[in-house]
Amino acid sequence: MLYRYGWQDCTTILFYFFITIILHAVVQEYVLDKVNRRLNLSKSKNTKFSESGQLCVFHLVSSVWSFYILITEGYLFHPSSLWENYPHVHLRFQVKLFFLTQLAYWLHALPELYFQKVRKEEIPRQLQYICLYLLHISAAYLLNLSPVGLVLLCLQYLSELGFHIARMFYFTDESHQKMFDLWAVNFVFTRMVTLTLVFLAVGFGLARAENQGLDWNMGNFNTVLIRMPVLLLVSLTQSWLLWKFIHFQLKRWREFRHAQAARKRAAAKQTPRPLKRDSLGHHENGTIKAENGASPRPKKIKAP
């Protein structure tokens, strides 16, 4: 059985929208709230820990699911299948279900901002990545670029999974910071691979395909006017993520240097002036003093 997208997908997305809200509440109540009570975190850390916990579950399930689809559909071992036989109009059930559930999840994240009582200063940040996910997933699904979308989502979810795992460990114990270094390497690697795959599949693969032209009935959107916005959208998003990452790392490095310099200055002020003493005469700054501060009397040397 092969499927195409249509207006009836909206009802399916709405159905999984409510299912996702229920699953979100179950994970929060029966898993994360119990962990939060044991850790006894502050209110701000509790909110961020719950956010990372929810996203860890979602990213883990989505990355495993997308990786399984890439293997079963043959996209992983045959990279040329990402652009060959375009347009990929007819989808298998698991591929179509994956994209619909992804759209349902990120749509459910919008009312969750209200249900979770997210602080006002955190709402713009979360709205940014929610809208970016919805935009990229919708573009891959509607433009019949499902193979490329699967690969990019799998890479993105694996990178985000590492970040939120490191974040949860950091909230439990702030000494766990080495996992952020591993995530930083993975983050840069994911951005490079993402840009390479997009330019390889859309910029070169589809540009050399024979079916050049716009055909709504056949689902063919292989034109320069569509390929260029797709490349521009992905490139700008990845560049923006890299800029934010570099800006955050530089800010973190400056804060670390200032804190280290402040500790050195505080240690230099608190260090007392050392006193030079010996074991017998109690020499102090070049003079001989007794233990009570008086000068010792000279001892008489007896003749043998």
Side-chain angles (χ1 to χ4, degrees):
M1 295 292 293
L2 299 176
Y3 300 87
R4 299 184 63 171
Y5 65 79
W7 291 107
Q8 294 179 352
D9 292 343
C10 297
T11 58
T12 307
I13 292 174
L14 182 63
F15 171 75
Y16 287 108
F17 173 84
F18 292 111
I19 294 296
T20 308
I21 292 178
I22 295 172
L23 293 177
H24 187 114
V26 169
V27 173
Q28 183 68 39
E29 183 175 356
Y30 292 99
V31 180
L32 296 176
D33 287 345
K34 292 182 179 180
V35 176
N36 288 332
R37 294 191 195 100
R38 292 186 178 182
L39 295 177
N40 195 17
L41 300 175
S42 62
K43 187 177 181 180
S44 60
K45 288 185 177 181
N46 190 0
T47 303
K48 294 180 180 179
F49 185 87
S50 298
E51 177 191 352
S52 294
Q54 292 285 350
L55 290 173
C56 272
V57 175
F58 170 72
H59 290 319
L60 178 61
V61 174
S62 298
S63 59
V64 173
W65 190 4
S66 59
F67 186 74
Y68 173 77
I69 295 175
L70 291 176
I71 293 177
T72 55
E73 297 294 326
Y75 299 141
L76 188 63
F77 302 105
H78 300 88
S80 60
S81 60
L82 297 178
W83 60 85
E84 289 180 351
N85 300 321
Y86 179 85
H88 302 95
V89 179
H90 299 93
L91 305 176
R92 294 183 185 272
F93 174 75
Q94 60 177 354
V95 179
K96 183 178 177 65
L97 181 63
F98 176 80
F99 277 96
L100 294 182
T101 52
Q102 294 298 309
L103 292 172
Y105 179 86
W106 291 111
L107 285 173
H108 113 280
L110 295 174
E112 285 295 336
L113 297 176
Y114 173 76
F115 295 147
Q116 297 294 325
K117 298 180 180 179
V118 179
R119 294 184 300 177
K120 291 183 179 180
E121 56 270 19
E122 289 290 327
I123 290 179
R125 177 185 64 85
Q126 298 197 24
L127 283 176
Q128 283 179 351
Y129 72 77
I130 291 172
C131 293
L132 284 175
Y133 273 113
L134 287 173
L135 179 61
H136 285 75
I137 295 171
S138 301
Y141 184 63
L142 297 177
L143 297 178
N144 296 317
L145 294 171
S146 55
V148 180
L150 279 169
V151 176
L152 298 185
L153 283 176
C154 184
L155 291 172
Q156 176 65 20
Y157 287 155
L158 287 174
S159 176
E160 290 295 309
L161 177 63
F163 169 74
H164 289 290
I165 290 176
R167 197 184 187 198
M168 292 178 70
F169 275 102
Y170 174 77
F171 288 143
T172 57
D173 188 358
E174 294 186 357
S175 61
H176 294 111
Q177 295 186 0
K178 293 184 178 180
M179 296 187 67
F180 282 111
D181 298 332
L182 296 176
W183 166 78
V185 176
N186 187 22
F187 180 87
V188 177
F189 175 76
T190 302
R191 305 283 80 77
M192 297 296 104
V193 175
T194 298
L195 289 173
T196 303
L197 284 175
V198 169
F199 277 95
L200 180 64
V202 180
F204 294 97
L206 293 181
R208 296 181 180 181
E210 296 179 357
N211 53 347
Q212 300 285 334
L214 180 63
D215 190 347
W216 292 91
N217 295 326
M218 296 297 296
N220 185 12
F221 302 99
N222 190 11
T223 62
V224 178
L225 295 178
I226 295 178
R227 289 198 306 268
M228 292 305 295
V230 170
L231 292 174
L232 187 63
L233 173 64
V234 177
S235 301
L236 289 177
T237 303
Q238 302 303 312
S239 302
W240 177 69
L241 291 174
L242 275 175
W243 179 81
K244 287 191 66 177
F245 173 78
I246 294 172
H247 179 73
F248 172 76
Q249 294 296 331
L250 290 176
K251 180 180 178 182
R252 181 184 175 190
W253 180 76
R254 286 195 296 266
E255 290 177 354
F256 174 77
R257 296 284 295 178
H258 289 319
Q260 192 176 19
R263 285 195 298 267
K264 288 182 179 180
R265 288 193 297 267
K269 290 181 179 179
Q270 294 178 359
T271 303
R273 187 178 180 183
L275 300 178
K276 298 180 181 180
R277 296 173 178 266
D278 61 359
S279 58
L280 296 176
H282 297 284
H283 292 272
E284 184 176 344
N285 296 331
T287 60
I288 301 177
K289 292 184 179 181
E291 293 183 357
N292 56 0
S295 299
R297 294 181 180 181
K299 294 183 179 180
K300 294 182 180 180
I301 301 175
K302 297 182 179 180

